[in-house]
């Protein structure tokens, strides 16, 4: 198992990335890591060289680079070299905390789509709040618009992931819509509802509304990239705003606030844990010939290690290989 | 000023509705209220008969009625009679806490669109978090899909509302999009960006992402009905989930939790106040020939009174009359 790591992507690179790799190495002796980036900087954080290969490059893609241009012009960038390694078969998967758009472009143009999948989707596993559980949602913004047929493929992709990686035997697949009734929606969601209803490979449970997402109403939620992007950012923005407001309110309450917060310390940190989006790993650009996985740019070593654990599961279960097979059969039907 | 009140709409009707009207009456002596519904039930909560007329009807629209059918078949329903009163000129505006879809249908089919406005949009004023301010957002779901031209009209409608009702001299109008760069978006948002940029009647400030909405980045946010609905419900769902999780966490912390919560009482209730969506009134189906305003079904008397205050401002500033004039000029150009 070889993972190509873009060691230069993200706000805290290469330190957070390399420290995360070191954490993951303790857990998995069966992964070889190919680290792409500035060798001298990377080497500072390497505590154990076993299973580590550094491929030096000076070039990297910045967070404000225009994605497609950056991929085409910066041919020696750490992210591009990592993608090339997967294409050539030297590595089995890519990890990056860098420019999301550039990683999507590298995934599409260098790693390539699985035959039969029209529009790979960006997928994350998101926590349910107030109870055990999580759900996979896609597309979270790899595409600015999608057809109904793409949404059907997202249902199949998400279900595959939930079965293989999250070990759910019969994942409940739902369609994000503007009402729960079967007849609701736009032209695209109405047609997608029909396609999903008639697909034997998945267990479709109907429409869900955005208000219910965090209540665990489904294991996989399917939506177009524009809406998915808006919903994900609404959830993140609202959670961030409320938590910072809570912090402000406590600080503004003086000594009483300090004492109150001290008494509620465990309760408040439990709250933070429940909302931790990084605990299930990163976002997968799913539908490509290999796992291409992205974590937040501001990520720390723990979240890097969690994402590597996720990639390890994807490789160990061969979820991508199984997908390739499934879609080859569909295409040849 | 005459407001037609659907006294039977909402979970707590007619009590919450009539008590809210009584509260509003104390503040505004220039409003006459026409209350539609069961006279005997309504009368129980009337504490002062001045400026009150009850129009008895036994029929009402339920929350689970199919909207368009309900409007067509239940011709004597309190909501339908209230809409008819506006159409015939007996009343100047409608208030309801009932079935949203039915109210949208009654607005479109009975009250009617302003000439030149293709697709009226559902608009709410939503609070900014952690600072003073608010923003108007539309369409929140009156339409399942919209063209770029509709989004342009929403920019003009929202700007008009913010100027007249919220008293903002030069409202910042933004387009909800999947990135802040000018070139981002779907076909519809790209075209809408161009149309909004070239519209002299508004102050367009460009694209905003859903993550930034609650940070006060704009006074008016324009989006299609499908996305608007998903974003509104994501914000509401996330806020509700976090607040209930916080409550659970405090309750689960036993005596320490109780004491901590007591010390933080003011801070926590301030948090609740900041997120109170009802403090700016109800949702307006904007683009119709008269104010048609809806509050949550679970609303209490205070929120009813706030929404009547909002309708009072809409009537006092003649925001709808000015809109009619503006769009007549556009149509005749």
């Amino acid at each position: 198992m070889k993972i190509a790591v873009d060691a230069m992507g993200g706000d805290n690179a290469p330190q957070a990335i390399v420290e995360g790799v070191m954490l993951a190495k303790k857990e998995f002796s069966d992964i070889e890591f190919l680290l792409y980036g500035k060798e001298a900087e990377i080497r500072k954080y390497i505590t154990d060289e076993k299973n580590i290969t550094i491929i030096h490059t000076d070039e990297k893609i910045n967070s404000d680079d225009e994605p497609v241009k950056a991929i085409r012009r910066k041919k020696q960038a750490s992210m591009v070299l990592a993608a090339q390694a997967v294409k050539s078969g030297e590595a089995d998967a890519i990890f990056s905390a860098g420019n999301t758009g550039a990683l999507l472009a590298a995934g599409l143009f260098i790693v390539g789509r699985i035959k039969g999948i029209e529009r790979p989707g960006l997928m994350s596993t998101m926590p349910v709040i107030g109870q055990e559980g999580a759900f996979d949602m896609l597309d979270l913004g790899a595409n600015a618009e999608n057809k109904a047929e793409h949404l059907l493929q997202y249902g199949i992709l998400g279900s595959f992931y939930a079965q293989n990686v999250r070990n759910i035997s019969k994942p409940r697949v739902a369609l994000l819509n503007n009402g729960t009734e079967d007849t609701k929606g736009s032209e695209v969601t109405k047609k997608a509802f029909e396609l999903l209803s008639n697909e034997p490979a998945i267990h479709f449970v109907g429409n869900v509304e955005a208000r219910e997402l965090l209540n665990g109403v489904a294991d996989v939620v399917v939506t177009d990239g524009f809406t998915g992007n808006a919903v994900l950012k609404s959830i993140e923005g609202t959670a961030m705003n409320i938590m910072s407001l809570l912090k402000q309110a406590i600080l503004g309450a003086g000594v009483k606030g300090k004492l109150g917060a001290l008494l509620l310390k465990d309760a408040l940190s439990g709250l933070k844990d429940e909302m931790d989006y990084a605990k299930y790993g990163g976002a997968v650009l799913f539908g490509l010939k290999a796992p291409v996985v992205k974590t937040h740019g501001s990520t720390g070593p723990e979240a890097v290690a969690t994402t590597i654990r996720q990639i390890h599961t994807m490789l160990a279960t061969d979820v991508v290989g199984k997908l390739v097979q499934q879609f080859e059969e569909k295409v040849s039907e």
Side-chain angles (χ1 to χ4, degrees), chain A:
Chain A
M1 229 179 253
K2 285 188 185 177
I3 301 178
V5 175
D6 168 16
M8 306 311 284
D11 309 340
N12 312 314
Q15 182 171 357
I17 311 300
V18 180
E19 287 179 358
V21 167
M22 292 299 124
L23 283 176
K25 254 168 57 73
K26 285 183 196 160
E27 197 173 337
F28 303 108
S29 58
D30 59 345
I31 307 177
E32 286 184 49
F33 293 93
L34 309 178
L35 305 186
Y36 293 83
K38 294 194 174 173
E39 180 161 7
E41 285 189 47
I42 291 171
R43 205 163 279 288
K44 281 189 220 163
Y45 309 104
I46 302 245
T47 51
D48 168 11
E49 301 215 11
K50 200 179 161 228
N51 286 340
I52 296 283
T53 308
I54 302 173
I55 298 95
H56 174 79
T57 181
D58 279 321
E59 207 166 27
K60 66 170 184 151
I61 290 173
N62 300 314
S63 60
D64 57 352
D65 280 346
E66 204 282 303
V68 178
K69 269 188 206 159
I71 290 299
R72 294 212 168 126
R73 293 186 188 163
K74 291 185 167 178
K75 296 217 180 292
Q76 296 302 312
S78 54
M79 186 194 283
V80 174
L81 293 179
Q84 293 289 2
V86 171
K87 190 189 180 183
S88 69
E90 284 164 73
D92 305 304
I94 309 173
F95 167 90
S96 178
N99 184 319
T100 306
L103 188 64
L104 297 181
L108 285 169
F109 301 136
I110 302 172
V111 177
R113 289 180 291 125
I114 291 175
K115 203 175 163 180
I117 293 184
E118 289 180 49
R119 296 283 194 98
L122 193 62
M123 184 185 73
S124 272
T125 305
M126 320 224 283
V128 160
I129 284 187
Q131 52 179 301
E132 283 298 305
F135 63 100
D136 290 305
M137 185 159 158
L138 76 170
D139 175 18
L140 295 175
N143 303 282
E145 45 217 313
N146 285 109
K147 293 183 193 166
E149 289 76 13
H150 305 154
L151 301 194
L152 169 62
Q153 294 199 330
Y154 294 152
I156 298 170
L157 288 169
S159 188
F160 239 83
Y161 186 89
Q163 276 175 329
N164 286 282
V165 179
R166 291 172 55 215
N167 214 11
I168 297 171
S169 60
K170 196 179 167 189
R172 295 162 301 157
V173 177
L175 175 65
L176 184 69
N177 213 334
N178 60 0
T180 54
E181 303 88 342
D182 290 3
T183 54
K184 278 278 186 175
S186 63
E187 298 271 313
V188 169
T189 56
K190 279 179 190 169
K191 193 169 169 200
F193 184 94
E194 220 185 289
L195 294 173
L196 288 158
S197 299
N198 294 321
E199 174 57 51
I202 59 169
H203 174 44
F204 182 56
V205 296
N207 291 324
V208 292
E209 289 195 274
R211 192 185 282 121
E212 298 296 325
L213 284 178
L214 303 181
N215 295 336
V217 289
D219 301 305
V220 174
V221 176
V222 168
T223 185
D224 68 279
F226 192 89
T227 309
N229 184 273
V231 164
L232 176 68
K233 286 175 181 165
S234 299
I235 293 174
E236 285 180 350
T238 307
M240 246 162 40
N241 271 289
I242 295 180
M243 294 309 277
S244 92
L245 192 62
L246 182 61
K247 207 171 155 185
Q248 274 177 39
I250 290 172
L251 287 174
V255 178
K256 255 169 68 178
K258 267 188 198 156
L259 195 57
L262 201 65
L263 287 163
L264 290 175
K265 202 181 158 194
D266 294 341
L268 293 174
S269 86
L271 187 70
K272 231 178 148 180
D273 282 352
E274 282 240 29
M275 297 194 311
D276 180 10
Y277 273 62
K279 70 181 162 190
Y280 296 103
V284 183
L285 182 58
F286 208 43
L288 298 179
K289 288 177 186 159
V292 172
V293 186
K294 164 78 177 63
T295 60
H296 265 290
S298 58
T299 221
E302 288 289 350
V304 171
T306 305
T307 305
I308 288 168
R309 190 176 307 127
Q310 174 193 17
I311 297 174
H312 183 269
T313 312
M314 287 185 77
L315 293 174
T317 58
D318 193 25
V319 61
V320 171
K322 287 175 189 163
L323 256 186
V324 170
Q325 214 179 345
Q326 159 102 359
F327 275 85
E328 261 174 9
E329 282 165 18
K330 281 211 172 246
V331 170
S332 65
E333 263 168 23

